[in-house]
Structures are given as C-alpha cells and as structure tokens.
Amino acid sequence: MDKFTLNLFEEAELIQMGSEILCTGAMVLRGFALCDETAIFKALDTITIAAPLRYMVTPGGFRMSVAMTNCGSYGWVSDHNGYRYDAIDPNNGQSWPNMPDVFLHLARRAALCAGFDNFIPNACLINRYEPGTRLSLHQDKNECDFDAPIVSVSLGIPAIFLWGGLRRADRPIRVPLLHGDVVAWGGAARLHYHGVLPVKPGYHALTGSCRINLTFRKAI
Ligand code: MD3
Ligand code: FE
C-alpha cells in the first residue's frame, strides 16, 4: 500500500468532513484552515505592511492581474528577465517577511494529512484575486525539488479551480474552493496543469471583495 492510499477508516473520516482525493497525490481538506483564520489574517496584515501586494510583470511585458507578495526565505518574482525565486523583495531590496509560525504549522499539518511527511516550506506565495481575475492553465516548475509537495490555502470569496493533467491538452475538471479549504499536491500530481477561472464578484467578512490564496513551497 503506497503512502497515498488511505485505509477505510481514514477515508470515511475525510468523506465525513467533505474532503476528497482529486487524484493520486492531490487531496482537498475542506475547512482545514478555519480554526486558524484569525491568526492567519493578523499575520497577513503584518506581512503586507512590510511587503505590499503588487502586480508583477511577465517576461513578455504584461502586468499580471493577480496581485502578489511573499513571505518566507524565498519569494516568487516575475519581471522582464523571467520567473524565479529570490531571497530579496525587488520593491525594497530587503528580505521577505518571515513565515509566521501559524502558516508553517498549518502547511505542515495539511501536508501530513495528505501523506507527505516532514514538509519544510521555505516560500509562501500570497495571491490576491479581485473579481474577474483569473489564472490561466500552467505548471509550477520554478521549484528545484519536485519531490516536495505544494500546499494551497483558499481564503475569502470562492473560486473555481481548474485541475488538469500532465499535458496542457488534458481537459481540466472544476473544483470549487471555498474560504478555509486547503489542498495538498505532490507526487504524481505535482506537475499537473492547473488554473483558476475568473473569480465571480462576492463578499467575505475577512477579505471584502477578494479571494486570497496562499501556496507553500519548497522553492530552493
Ligand atoms: C497543483 N495558484 O500560485 S492554488 C500558483 O488559487 C497557483 O492562487 C492558484 O496556481 C491559486 O501557482 C492555485 C492550487 C495549486 C497550487 C500549486 C500547484 C495547485 C497546484 C502545484 C502543482 C499542482
Ligand atoms: Fe500554480
């Protein structure tokens, strides 16, 4: 039995909670972040004061519609030179804000629940979607170690996540992600194409009209 195979009791427990396995190595943990929401938003305030959300520019010269910032030892950045992880925030020449303990612990617990032992993320990318914002189908390939999973935390207004296959042409399934949902992706699922449909207008008490997504990665 591989590490992704749950026994009947474990599976029953997850179904009970509304969680599901999207495919080998990709597990949705419904509401997993809800217990920590207050601490998460407090930490987000501190992070975005030091490293404000900003619209990065693609190598092709287009302004991205998702606003981004980072915390942790490394941050994902994009500019006319390309995409990369960098220890320095290009906006201020300083290190990115520290990854708060509540973030690190949440990511590690979620990874463990999904069968990934001892996940040590050193980067947390923070994405903000305003209504109408989408993220086109892509693979996450800037990280050095594809054996490490990625953990994603959805906050605020809902979005429809697109979950494709290993080839761009594989037709994606649609997975609604709500406030507090956490997904862990690794193993065979790590290099699947994925994206986000244009976010519908909405309101959430903690984010206003936006959706926020945190992704925890072992960048380097
Ligand atoms: C599956 N973010 O930042 S999170 C990204 O909702 C990104 O902001 C989306 O895709 C968002 O790169 C989706 C879910 C996600 C993140 C990383 C993955 C799914 C993934 C990496 C590999 C496979
Ligand atoms: Fe991605």
Side-chain angles (χ1 to χ4, degrees), residues 30-31 153-159 176-182:
R30 297 285 179 199
V153 178
S154 291
L155 300 166
I157 66 174
L177 292 179
L178 310 182
H179 177 76
D181 290 347
V182 175

Side-chain angles (χ1 to χ4, degrees), residues 106-119:
L106 175 64
R108 286 176 56 78
R109 279 189 287 118
L112 190 60
C113 275
F116 305 102
D117 270 13
N118 196 31
F119 177 41

Side-chain angles (χ1 to χ4, degrees), residues 138 140 194 217:
H138 68 278
D140 287 19
H194 58 277
R217 301 141 188 269

Side-chain angles (χ1 to χ4, degrees), residues 14 25 28 37 41 43 93 96 105 113 119 124 138 142 155 168-169 179-180 184 194 219:
L14 285 163
V28 185
E37 64 177 10
F41 279 92
W96 297 100
H105 291 146
C113 275
F119 177 41
C124 171
H138 68 278
N142 290 125
L155 300 166
R168 185 181 284 281
H179 177 76
H194 58 277

Side-chain angles (χ1 to χ4, degrees), residues 16 18 41 49 67 73 81 84 106 134 150-151 182-183:
Q16 163 81 24
F41 279 92
I49 287 168
S73 301
N81 292 314
R84 66 189 175 277
L106 175 64
R134 64 193 285 264
I150 290 184
V151 169
V182 175
V183 195

